[in-house]
C-alpha cells in the first residue's frame, strides 16, 4: 500500500467503527483523536503557520496500528465476499481453506488462480476498497508472481493488472522466499550482516564482557531470527561461530582466521551460564529447539492459520507422530517432519508451561549437561560485568597464567610470578600464595568482616558453590569478583608496564566499584538484620 497511514480517509474510518458496532461515545473519542491535531510549518527555524489535517493516521500513535487493522479487515471481507462469485477460482493450494489474502500491516498478498476472470474479480474488489478507504497500491513496489502459465497468458494478465512480474526469491517481511530448496549460498545475507556489524565495532576498545554482550544480544540474535524460520546448514553455523569466536577473543595479527590464545573451548562458551558457559547457544541445538515450536503447533493442531493450511494440504487430518511423508511435499515440510527423530510427543509435552512451549527448558534438556554450582556466585547481578567475566575464567582455571603458557610450549622469559617473583605463577599461587593477594585479603576482612579467601584453589571453588540469596551474600560475591579482577589487573600491569598498584589503592577501587553498583539498584530489599551491614558498606 502507498503511504498507508497518510492516506486513510476519516469518514471511512468512522463508518468502519460504526459497522463493527463500537459504542457511539467511543467512536466520538476516536474521531476526536484523529481530527483534533494540527500541524505547524517550520521554515528556517521559525514557525510560518499551521494547518489541520484532513485524512490519515498519525505515525507513532499507539492506537494507529489498531485502527489500520480494522481498515484492512474490511479489505479482507471484501475480497472474501468477491470469492463467492461463481466465476472465481481459488489458487490450488488455497482452495481447501478458501484462502484469498494475507495481510501484515500495509503488506498485502492476494491469491487466486491464474485466469482472467479470477484476476479481474480480485482487481475490482481491491479497487472498490481503495475508493472507499482512500488508500492505493504502490505501483513501484507491487508485483505479480505466476506459476504454471505460458508467456501469452502471463502477458495478458500483466496488461490487465498494470503491475510488473516478480521473480523468486521473493522478499517478504525481510525474509527471502523461494520455491526451491535453499542452498548454503542463499544464506550469505546472514554472514554479510554479521560482518557489517563486526566492521563497525572493529575500532572500539571493548572489554571481554562488552564483546560477549554484543555477541549475545546482536550477532546471535540476528542468527536466532533466521534460525526461527529455517534450519541453517552446518557450514553457515560454523562460519557464524568462527566470526563470533574471533570477535570475542580477538584475532592474531595478519591472520583473520586464527583467534588469539585462549583456553576456554567454544563448546564451553556456548553452554548456559548455569552450566559453566557464557550463555551463548550452540547453533545446531538451538536451531532445532527454535523449530520445535512449529512441531508442537502442528502436532497439537493449534488454532493458527498456517497450521490449518498444513493440516489441509499435507496431513489431511492425520496424527503428526504417525504421519508418513509423501514424495511430492515441499522440502521445508519434509525437514520439519524429520525433527520427529529428535523430539517425541512426551518430551515436548514435558516442557509445556501454561499452554506454551518453554524453549529454554527444552534447550537444557537437549544439552543434557549438569549444572555447575559456582554459577550463582560468578554471575551475581551486583558484580560489575567485566569483573564477572574474569571471575568466570578464574573459576574454570582458564586465565593465561605463565604455567598455562608454558604448557602450550610458548617461550617465556621466566615462569615466576610477575608480582612477587618468588614462585612459579599459577592460579593457586596468584590468588592464594602471592603476598599481594594475602595483603589484599587481610584488608578486605577488616572491611567486610568475613574471609572470602580460603587457603587453596579447591576450597575457594567449593566456597563459591553456595547460592547468594541474601543481600549480604550478594555483596560478598560482588567483592569477590572485584578482588579477582583487581589481582589479575595488577598482575598484567606488572607484566606489561613493570609497575604494581598499592594495596590501599586497590581496596579503594573495590569499595568504589561496590558502592557504584549498589547505587544502581535503589530498590534492593534489605532485611532488618542486614541494615547495619548494608549502611556500613555504602558509607565506607
Amino acid at each position: 500500500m502507498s503511504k498507508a497511514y497518510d492516506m486513510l480517509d476519516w469518514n471511512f474510518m468512522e463508518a468502519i467503527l460504526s459497522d463493527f458496532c463500537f459504542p457511539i461515545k467511543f467512536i466520538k473519542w476516536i474521531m476526536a483523536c484523529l481530527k483534533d491535531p494540527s500541524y505547524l510549518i517550520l521554515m528556517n527555524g521559525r514557525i510560518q503557520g499551521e494547518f489541520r489535517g484532513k485524512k490519515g493516521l498519525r505515525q507513532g500513535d499507539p492506537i494507529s496500528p489498531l485502527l489500520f487493522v480494522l481498515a484492512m479487515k474490511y479489505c479482507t471481507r471484501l475480497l472474501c465476499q468477491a470469492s463467492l462469485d461463481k466465476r472465481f477460482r481459488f489458487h490450488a493450494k488455497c482452495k481447501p481453506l478458501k484462502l484469498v489474502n494475507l495481510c501484515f500491516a500495509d503488506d498485502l498478498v492476494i491469491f487466486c488462480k491464474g485466469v482472467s476472470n479470477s484476476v479481474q474479480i480480485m482487481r475490482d474488489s481491491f479497487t472498490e476498497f481503495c475508493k472507499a478507504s482512500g488508500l492505493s497500491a504502490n505501483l513501484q513496489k507491487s508485483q505479480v508472481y505466476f506459476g504454471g502459465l505460458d508467456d501469452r497468458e502471463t502477458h495478458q494478465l500483466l496488461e490487465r493488472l498494470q503491475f510488473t512480474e516478480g521473480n523468486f526469491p521473493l522478499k517478504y517481511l525481510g525474509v527471502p522466499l523461494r520455491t526451491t530448496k535453499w542452498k548454503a549460498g542463499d544464506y550469505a545475507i546472514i554472514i554479510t550482516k554479521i560482518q557489517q556489524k563486526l566492521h563497525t565495532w572493529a575500532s572500539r576498545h571493548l572489554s571481554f564482557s562488552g564483546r560477549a554482550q554484543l555477541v549475545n544480544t546482536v550477532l546471535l540474535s540476528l542468527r536466532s531470527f533466521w534460525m526461527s524460520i529455517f534450519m541453517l546448514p552446518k557450514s553457515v553455523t560454523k562460519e557464524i561461530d568462527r566470526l563470533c569466536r574471533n570477535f570475542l577473543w580477538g584475532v592474531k595479527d595478519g591472520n583473520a582466521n586464527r583467534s588469539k590464545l585462549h583456553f576456554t573451548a567454544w563448546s564451553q562458551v556456548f553452554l548456559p551460564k548455569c552450566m559453566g558457559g557464557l550463555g551463548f547457544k550452540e547453533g545446531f541445538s538451538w536451531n532445532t529447539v527454535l523449530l520445535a515450536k512449529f512441531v508442537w503447533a502442528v502436532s497439537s493442531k493449534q488454532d493458527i492459520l498456517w497450521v490449518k493450511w498444513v493440516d489441509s494440504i499435507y496431513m489431511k487430518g492425520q496424527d503428526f507422530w504417525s504421519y508418513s511423508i509423501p514424495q511430492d511435499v515441499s522440502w521445508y515440510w519434509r525437514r520439519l517432519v524429520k525433527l520427529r527423530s529428535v523430539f517425541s510427543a512426551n518430551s515436548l509435552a514435558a516442557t509445556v508451561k501454561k499452554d506454551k512451549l518453554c524453549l529454554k527448558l527444552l534447550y537444557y534438556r537437549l544439552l543434557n549437561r549438569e549444572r555447575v554450582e559456582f554459577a550463582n556466585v560468578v554471575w551475581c547481578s551486583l558484580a560489575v560485568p567485566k569483573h564477572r567475566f574474569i571471575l568466570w575464567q578464574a573459576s574454570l582455571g582458564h586465565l593465561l597464567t605463565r604455567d598455562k603458557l608454558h604448557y602450550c610450549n610458548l617461550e617465556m622469559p621466566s615462569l615466576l610470578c610477575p608480582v612477587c617473583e618468588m614462585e612459579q605463577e599459577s592460579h593457586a599461587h596468584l590468588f592464594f600464595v602471592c603476598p599481594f593477594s594475602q595483603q589484599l585479603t587481610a584488608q578486605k576482612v577488616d572491611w567486610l568482616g568475613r574471609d572470602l579467601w580460603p587457603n587453596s584453589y579447591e576450597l575457594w571453588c567449593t566456597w563459591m558453590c553456595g547460592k547468594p540469596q541474601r543481600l549480604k551474600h550478594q555483596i560478598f560475591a560482588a567483592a569477590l569478583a572485584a578482588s579477582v579482577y583487581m589481582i589479575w589487573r595488577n598482575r598484567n600491569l606488572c607484566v606489561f608496564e613493570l609497575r604494581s598498584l598499592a594495596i590501599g589503592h586497590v581496596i579503594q577501587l573495590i569499595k568504589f566499584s561496590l558502592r557504584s553498583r549498589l547505587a544502581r539498584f535503589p530498590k534492593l530489599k534489605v532485611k532488618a538484620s542486614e541494615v547495619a551491614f548494608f549502611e556500613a558498606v555504602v558509607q565506607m
Side-chain angles (χ1 to χ4, degrees), residues 142-391:
S142 299
Q143 293 180 322
V144 187
Y145 292 84
F146 299 98
L149 299 182
D150 56 33
D151 293 340
R152 183 182 61 83
E153 293 173 324
T154 300
H155 182 70
Q156 290 178 351
L157 293 178
L158 287 175
E159 283 187 344
R160 184 184 294 269
L161 293 172
Q162 297 299 311
F163 290 155
T164 59
E165 182 179 1
N167 298 314
F168 288 98
L170 158 67
K171 194 169 186 179
Y172 183 64
L173 302 180
V175 179
L177 304 177
R178 64 187 309 162
T179 57
T180 58
K181 184 178 180 180
W182 279 53
K183 300 179 181 179
D186 296 325
Y187 298 94
I189 183 175
I190 313 174
I191 305 298
T192 302
K193 288 186 176 181
I194 290 178
Q195 289 174 338
Q196 290 174 349
K197 295 288 186 183
L198 294 176
H199 181 72
T200 60
W201 301 336
S203 59
R204 300 184 181 182
H205 299 284
L206 301 170
S207 64
F208 282 122
S209 62
R211 295 182 184 185
Q213 186 70 11
L214 287 175
V215 169
N216 204 13
T217 58
V218 180
L219 302 184
L220 297 185
S221 294
L222 178 62
R223 183 196 67 174
S224 294
F225 171 74
W226 288 87
M227 283 184 171
S228 64
I229 306 172
F230 302 105
M231 176 64 77
L232 300 187
K234 291 184 178 180
S235 59
V236 177
T237 303
K238 289 181 179 179
E239 179 63 17
I240 295 174
D241 291 348
R242 185 188 67 82
L243 293 173
C244 294
R245 180 176 63 249
N246 290 346
F247 175 70
L248 177 63
W249 302 117
V251 296
K252 289 186 176 181
D253 296 336
N255 190 350
N257 294 321
R258 292 288 301 276
S259 56
K260 291 182 179 179
L261 180 63
H262 57 277
F263 292 106
T264 309
W266 197 241
S267 58
Q268 174 80 34
V269 173
F270 261 123
L271 291 176
K273 291 181 177 179
C274 63
M275 297 180 183
L278 282 180
F280 301 169
K281 293 179 175 65
E282 194 275 323
F284 178 76
S285 299
W286 182 238
N287 199 171
T288 305
V289 167
L290 287 175
L291 295 182
K293 64 180 183 290
F294 298 147
V295 175
W296 171 249
V298 173
S299 63
S300 59
K301 298 188 183 299
Q302 295 182 4
D303 188 18
I304 306 174
L305 178 61
W306 73 266
V307 175
K308 294 179 180 179
W309 185 87
V310 166
D311 187 62
S312 63
I313 298 298
Y314 293 132
M315 296 177 59
K316 302 184 185 304
Q318 299 181 53
D319 179 67
F320 177 77
W321 302 106
S322 59
Y323 166 76
S324 57
I325 310 176
Q327 295 295 326
D328 59 343
V329 298
S330 73
W331 64 274
Y332 189 90
W333 172 245
R334 184 182 300 275
R335 178 162 290 188
L336 203 61
V337 173
K338 286 183 178 180
L339 291 179
R340 292 183 300 185
S341 61
V342 182
F343 305 106
S344 65
N346 293 333
S347 64
L348 292 181
T351 57
V352 173
K353 292 184 177 181
K354 297 181 179 179
D355 297 329
K356 290 185 178 181
L357 190 67
C358 182
L359 299 182
K360 182 179 179 180
L361 181 58
L362 184 62
Y363 179 65
Y364 286 178
R365 286 174 176 263
L366 192 63
L367 290 179
N368 194 23
R369 296 285 294 268
E370 294 184 358
R371 296 172 179 255
V372 295
E373 298 296 334
F374 61 79
N376 295 303
V377 173
V378 170
W379 304 110
C380 174
S381 59
L382 281 183
V384 178
K386 63 181 180 181
H387 297 177
R388 295 198 295 254
F389 191 93
I390 298 300
L391 179 59

Side-chain angles (χ1 to χ4, degrees), residues 367-433:
L367 290 179
N368 194 23
R369 296 285 294 268
E370 294 184 358
R371 296 172 179 255
V372 295
E373 298 296 334
F374 61 79
N376 295 303
V377 173
V378 170
W379 304 110
C380 174
S381 59
L382 281 183
V384 178
K386 63 181 180 181
H387 297 177
R388 295 198 295 254
F389 191 93
I390 298 300
L391 179 59
W392 169 71
Q393 286 187 299
S395 302
L396 297 174
H398 290 168
L399 291 172
L400 299 180
T401 53
R402 287 184 170 178
D403 63 330
K404 292 280 188 180
L405 298 175
H406 179 69
Y407 177 79
C408 295
N409 297 323
L410 296 177
E411 294 184 3
M412 302 295 301
S414 174
L415 295 179
L416 296 179
C417 173
V419 180
C420 66
E421 297 184 346
M422 295 173 60
E423 296 182 12
Q424 177 176 313
E425 184 190 29
S426 64
H427 285 73
H429 170 83
L430 184 62
F431 294 111
F432 304 103
V433 181

Side-chain angles (χ1 to χ4, degrees), residues 107-125:
D107 290 326
L108 178 64
V109 183
I110 300 177
F111 309 99
C112 70
K113 191 172 183 178
V115 293
S116 59
N117 287 339
S118 299
V119 171
Q120 187 61 44
I121 290 173
M122 289 292 100
R123 178 178 174 80
D124 293 343
S125 299

Side-chain angles (χ1 to χ4, degrees), residues 492-533:
N492 290 333
L493 288 176
C494 293
V495 172
F496 299 107
E497 299 183 15
L498 302 179
R499 66 185 181 91
S500 178
L501 298 175
I503 295 295
H505 178 62
V506 172
I507 288 293
Q508 292 301 320
L509 290 176
I510 295 175
K511 290 181 178 180
F512 177 77
S513 171
L514 195 54
R515 286 197 298 266
S516 300
R517 292 296 292 179
L518 290 172
R520 291 175 61 88
F521 298 91
K523 296 183 180 181
L524 287 173
K525 295 182 180 180
V526 184
K527 295 184 179 181
S529 59
E530 299 175 334
V531 172
F533 173 78

Side-chain angles (χ1 to χ4, degrees), residues 429-534:
H429 170 83
L430 184 62
F431 294 111
F432 304 103
V433 181
C434 183
F436 182 87
S437 301
Q438 292 181 346
Q439 294 177 35
L440 180 63
T441 302
Q443 293 204 23
K444 196 148 49 19
V445 170
D446 295 338
W447 172 39
L448 295 176
R450 177 172 177 176
D451 189 359
L452 302 180
W453 231 249
N455 56 9
S456 70
Y457 181 73
E458 292 74 16
L459 292 176
W460 181 59
C461 292
T462 303
W463 177 87
M464 289 201 303
C465 292
K467 294 184 178 181
Q469 297 176 346
R470 297 174 57 188
L471 176 61
K472 189 173 184 179
H473 295 157
Q474 293 181 16
I475 292 176
F476 288 151
L480 171 66
S483 302
V484 171
Y485 174 82
M486 293 308 302
I487 291 174
W488 183 245
R489 179 188 174 191
N490 182 72
R491 178 264 182 196
N492 290 333
L493 288 176
C494 293
V495 172
F496 299 107
E497 299 183 15
L498 302 179
R499 66 185 181 91
S500 178
L501 298 175
I503 295 295
H505 178 62
V506 172
I507 288 293
Q508 292 301 320
L509 290 176
I510 295 175
K511 290 181 178 180
F512 177 77
S513 171
L514 195 54
R515 286 197 298 266
S516 300
R517 292 296 292 179
L518 290 172
R520 291 175 61 88
F521 298 91
K523 296 183 180 181
L524 287 173
K525 295 182 180 180
V526 184
K527 295 184 179 181
S529 59
E530 299 175 334
V531 172
F533 173 78
F534 179 76

